[in-house]
PDB file of all heavy atoms in Angstrom:
ATOM      1  N   LEU A 762      17.105 -13.138 -13.813  1.00  0.00           N
ATOM      2  CA  LEU A 762      15.853 -12.955 -14.541  1.00  0.00           C
ATOM      3  C   LEU A 762      15.791 -11.519 -15.048  1.00  0.00           C
ATOM      4  O   LEU A 762      15.505 -10.601 -14.291  1.00  0.00           O
ATOM      5  CB  LEU A 762      14.663 -13.248 -13.637  1.00  0.00           C
ATOM      6  CG  LEU A 762      13.283 -13.191 -14.308  1.00  0.00           C
ATOM      7  CD1 LEU A 762      13.190 -14.231 -15.422  1.00  0.00           C
ATOM      8  CD2 LEU A 762      12.175 -13.405 -13.289  1.00  0.00           C
ATOM      9  N   PRO A 763      16.075 -11.298 -16.351  1.00  0.00           N
ATOM     10  CA  PRO A 763      15.968  -9.949 -16.909  1.00  0.00           C
ATOM     11  C   PRO A 763      14.561  -9.681 -17.454  1.00  0.00           C
ATOM     12  O   PRO A 763      13.975 -10.543 -18.089  1.00  0.00           O
ATOM     13  CB  PRO A 763      16.994  -9.960 -18.047  1.00  0.00           C
ATOM     14  CG  PRO A 763      17.061 -11.380 -18.481  1.00  0.00           C
ATOM     15  CD  PRO A 763      16.663 -12.242 -17.316  1.00  0.00           C
ATOM     16  N   PHE A 764      14.027  -8.494 -17.180  1.00  0.00           N
ATOM     17  CA  PHE A 764      12.755  -8.061 -17.747  1.00  0.00           C
ATOM     18  C   PHE A 764      13.049  -7.031 -18.827  1.00  0.00           C
ATOM     19  O   PHE A 764      13.685  -6.012 -18.562  1.00  0.00           O
ATOM     20  CB  PHE A 764      11.851  -7.459 -16.664  1.00  0.00           C
ATOM     21  CG  PHE A 764      11.432  -8.461 -15.633  1.00  0.00           C
ATOM     22  CD1 PHE A 764      11.986  -8.425 -14.361  1.00  0.00           C
ATOM     23  CD2 PHE A 764      10.501  -9.438 -15.928  1.00  0.00           C
ATOM     24  CE1 PHE A 764      11.604  -9.356 -13.406  1.00  0.00           C
ATOM     25  CE2 PHE A 764      10.113 -10.372 -14.979  1.00  0.00           C
ATOM     26  CZ  PHE A 764      10.670 -10.338 -13.711  1.00  0.00           C
ATOM     27  N   LEU A 765      12.593  -7.303 -20.038  1.00  0.00           N
ATOM     28  CA  LEU A 765      12.868  -6.438 -21.183  1.00  0.00           C
ATOM     29  C   LEU A 765      11.596  -5.700 -21.545  1.00  0.00           C
ATOM     30  O   LEU A 765      10.569  -6.318 -21.831  1.00  0.00           O
ATOM     31  CB  LEU A 765      13.350  -7.275 -22.378  1.00  0.00           C
ATOM     32  CG  LEU A 765      14.454  -8.307 -22.075  1.00  0.00           C
ATOM     33  CD1 LEU A 765      14.759  -9.125 -23.313  1.00  0.00           C
ATOM     34  CD2 LEU A 765      15.690  -7.620 -21.549  1.00  0.00           C
ATOM     35  N   GLN A 766      11.654  -4.368 -21.559  1.00  0.00           N
ATOM     36  CA  GLN A 766      10.472  -3.574 -21.859  1.00  0.00           C
ATOM     37  C   GLN A 766      10.220  -3.512 -23.359  1.00  0.00           C
ATOM     38  O   GLN A 766      11.146  -3.300 -24.144  1.00  0.00           O
ATOM     39  CB  GLN A 766      10.642  -2.158 -21.295  1.00  0.00           C
ATOM     40  CG  GLN A 766       9.357  -1.345 -21.341  1.00  0.00           C
ATOM     41  CD  GLN A 766       9.524  -0.017 -20.637  1.00  0.00           C
ATOM     42  OE1 GLN A 766       9.354   1.033 -21.241  1.00  0.00           O
ATOM     43  NE2 GLN A 766       9.884  -0.052 -19.372  1.00  0.00           N
ATOM     44  N   TYR A 767       8.959  -3.698 -23.730  1.00  0.00           N
ATOM     45  CA  TYR A 767       8.604  -3.614 -25.146  1.00  0.00           C
ATOM     46  C   TYR A 767       8.925  -2.214 -25.674  1.00  0.00           C
ATOM     47  O   TYR A 767       8.612  -1.210 -25.036  1.00  0.00           O
ATOM     48  CB  TYR A 767       7.115  -3.890 -25.333  1.00  0.00           C
ATOM     49  CG  TYR A 767       6.682  -5.264 -24.895  1.00  0.00           C
ATOM     50  CD1 TYR A 767       5.662  -5.423 -23.957  1.00  0.00           C
ATOM     51  CD2 TYR A 767       7.272  -6.408 -25.417  1.00  0.00           C
ATOM     52  CE1 TYR A 767       5.255  -6.681 -23.545  1.00  0.00           C
ATOM     53  CE2 TYR A 767       6.875  -7.674 -25.015  1.00  0.00           C
ATOM     54  CZ  TYR A 767       5.862  -7.811 -24.087  1.00  0.00           C
ATOM     55  OH  TYR A 767       5.474  -9.056 -23.679  1.00  0.00           O
ATOM     56  N   PRO A 768       9.529  -2.102 -26.860  1.00  0.00           N
ATOM     57  CA  PRO A 768       9.875  -0.785 -27.411  1.00  0.00           C
ATOM     58  C   PRO A 768       8.635   0.094 -27.590  1.00  0.00           C
ATOM     59  O   PRO A 768       7.607  -0.356 -28.092  1.00  0.00           O
ATOM     60  CB  PRO A 768      10.503  -1.125 -28.777  1.00  0.00           C
ATOM     61  CG  PRO A 768      10.978  -2.531 -28.637  1.00  0.00           C
ATOM     62  CD  PRO A 768      10.005  -3.207 -27.720  1.00  0.00           C
ATOM     63  N   GLY A 769       8.725   1.336 -27.133  1.00  0.00           N
ATOM     64  CA  GLY A 769       7.651   2.297 -27.327  1.00  0.00           C
ATOM     65  C   GLY A 769       6.466   2.140 -26.401  1.00  0.00           C
ATOM     66  O   GLY A 769       5.478   2.875 -26.531  1.00  0.00           O
ATOM     67  N   ILE A 770       6.528   1.194 -25.442  1.00  0.00           N
ATOM     68  CA  ILE A 770       5.358   0.928 -24.610  1.00  0.00           C
ATOM     69  C   ILE A 770       5.017   2.133 -23.726  1.00  0.00           C
ATOM     70  O   ILE A 770       3.852   2.451 -23.517  1.00  0.00           O
ATOM     71  CB  ILE A 770       5.573  -0.343 -23.736  1.00  0.00           C
ATOM     72  CG1 ILE A 770       4.269  -0.734 -23.022  1.00  0.00           C
ATOM     73  CG2 ILE A 770       6.679  -0.136 -22.728  1.00  0.00           C
ATOM     74  CD1 ILE A 770       3.197  -1.252 -23.933  1.00  0.00           C
ATOM     75  N   ALA A 771       6.032   2.825 -23.196  1.00  0.00           N
ATOM     76  CA  ALA A 771       5.773   3.972 -22.319  1.00  0.00           C
ATOM     77  C   ALA A 771       5.038   5.083 -23.071  1.00  0.00           C
ATOM     78  O   ALA A 771       4.053   5.638 -22.576  1.00  0.00           O
ATOM     79  CB  ALA A 771       7.087   4.499 -21.740  1.00  0.00           C
ATOM     80  N   GLN A 772       5.522   5.391 -24.279  1.00  0.00           N
ATOM     81  CA  GLN A 772       4.879   6.431 -25.076  1.00  0.00           C
ATOM     82  C   GLN A 772       3.459   6.015 -25.484  1.00  0.00           C
ATOM     83  O   GLN A 772       2.545   6.843 -25.518  1.00  0.00           O
ATOM     84  CB  GLN A 772       5.713   6.720 -26.330  1.00  0.00           C
ATOM     85  CG  GLN A 772       7.075   7.366 -26.058  1.00  0.00           C
ATOM     86  CD  GLN A 772       8.130   6.348 -25.632  1.00  0.00           C
ATOM     87  OE1 GLN A 772       7.846   5.154 -25.560  1.00  0.00           O
ATOM     88  NE2 GLN A 772       9.321   6.829 -25.345  1.00  0.00           N
ATOM     89  N   SER A 773       3.268   4.733 -25.772  1.00  0.00           N
ATOM     90  CA  SER A 773       1.957   4.233 -26.176  1.00  0.00           C
ATOM     91  C   SER A 773       0.951   4.359 -25.044  1.00  0.00           C
ATOM     92  O   SER A 773      -0.195   4.782 -25.255  1.00  0.00           O
ATOM     93  CB  SER A 773       2.077   2.769 -26.608  1.00  0.00           C
ATOM     94  OG  SER A 773       0.806   2.245 -26.918  1.00  0.00           O
ATOM     95  N   ILE A 774       1.366   4.002 -23.834  1.00  0.00           N
ATOM     96  CA  ILE A 774       0.472   4.099 -22.673  1.00  0.00           C
ATOM     97  C   ILE A 774       0.079   5.551 -22.434  1.00  0.00           C
ATOM     98  O   ILE A 774      -1.088   5.876 -22.226  1.00  0.00           O
ATOM     99  CB  ILE A 774       1.149   3.512 -21.413  1.00  0.00           C
ATOM    100  CG1 ILE A 774       1.246   1.986 -21.535  1.00  0.00           C
ATOM    101  CG2 ILE A 774       0.377   3.894 -20.151  1.00  0.00           C
ATOM    102  CD1 ILE A 774       2.041   1.329 -20.438  1.00  0.00           C
ATOM    103  N   ARG A 775       1.064   6.439 -22.507  1.00  0.00           N
ATOM    104  CA  ARG A 775       0.796   7.863 -22.272  1.00  0.00           C
ATOM    105  C   ARG A 775      -0.194   8.394 -23.321  1.00  0.00           C
ATOM    106  O   ARG A 775      -1.129   9.121 -22.997  1.00  0.00           O
ATOM    107  CB  ARG A 775       2.100   8.652 -22.311  1.00  0.00           C
ATOM    108  CG  ARG A 775       1.981  10.098 -21.865  1.00  0.00           C
ATOM    109  CD  ARG A 775       3.328  10.799 -21.873  1.00  0.00           C
ATOM    110  NE  ARG A 775       4.289  10.124 -21.005  1.00  0.00           N
ATOM    111  CZ  ARG A 775       5.369   9.491 -21.442  1.00  0.00           C
ATOM    112  NH1 ARG A 775       5.624   9.441 -22.740  1.00  0.00           N
ATOM    113  NH2 ARG A 775       6.188   8.913 -20.602  1.00  0.00           N
TER     114      ARG A 775
END
Side-chain angles (χ1 to χ4, degrees):
L762 184 61
F764 295 106
L765 312 176
Q766 190 174 120
Y767 298 124
I770 188 69
Q772 293 81 1
S773 176
I774 289 173
R775 189 177 302 113

